[in-house]
């Protein structure tokens, strides 16, 4: 079963945790000094917040969390059939988890990930979402650039 994923960058973690805990009527299932995550069933969402000095506040990225390799392959194949460029990231280590991922960027520039968590890790890890978005944007600009006239 799939779950919508929303990741928001915040400037102050504690008041944000208090706000979202009140909004969702639940405490985070993961809480670290720079990160918190709620796994909700109503609505079915994986909602995460993080505080990183190098991230602007606001929407960090959106995603679709899946439970099986087959579901991840299904999402990846749908992107391919729609001619949407994506990039696989195997054994990704970010947000206190190790995951298999496929990154894509929507037409307005919002970063999306389709991913399957494989386990928890002790450190936040390297959030490659913005890097992958930059690569995908550069690829799209190359494809869309008008051909130079001789």
């Amino acid at each position: 079963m799939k779950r919508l994923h929303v990741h928001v960058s915040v400037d102050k973690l504690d008041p944000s945790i208090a706000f979202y805990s009140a909004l969702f009527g639940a405490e985070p299932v993961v809480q670290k000094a720079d990160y918190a995550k709620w796994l909700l069933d109503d609505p079915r969402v994986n909602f995460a917040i993080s505080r990183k000095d190098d991230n602007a506040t606001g929407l960090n990225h959106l995603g679709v969390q899946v439970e099986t390799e087959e579901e991840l392959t299904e999402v990846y194949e749908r992107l391919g059939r729609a001619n949407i460029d994506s990039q696989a990231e195997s054994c990704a280590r970010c947000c206190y988890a190790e995951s298999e991922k496929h990154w894509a960027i929507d037409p307005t520039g919002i970063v999306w990930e389709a991913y399957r968590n494989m386990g928890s890790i002790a450190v936040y890890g390297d959030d490659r979402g913005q890097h992958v978005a930059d690569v995908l944007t550069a690829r799209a600009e190359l494809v869309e650039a008008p051909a130079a006239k001789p």
Side-chain angles (χ1 to χ4, degrees), residues 69-138:
E69 183 63 33
E70 292 78 20
E71 288 176 323
L72 185 59
T73 299
E74 173 191 334
V75 174
Y76 178 64
E77 288 174 349
R78 283 194 306 232
L79 292 171
R81 284 192 303 271
N83 292 322
I84 296 171
D85 192 16
S86 65
Q87 185 169 345
E89 185 180 8
S90 201
C91 299
R93 297 172 63 83
C94 91
C95 302
Y96 297 97
E98 185 173 18
S99 307
E100 293 293 323
K101 299 183 179 198
H102 290 282
W103 293 95
I105 187 165
D106 83 357
T108 62
I110 296 173
V111 177
W112 279 83
E113 67 175 336
Y115 69 99
R116 178 177 68 98
N117 280 341
M118 299 174 336
S120 298
I121 59 174
V123 297
Y124 185 85
D126 182 21
D127 184 353
R128 308 225 357 111
Q130 188 56 53
H131 168 75
V132 172
D134 292 343
V135 169
L136 292 173
T137 299

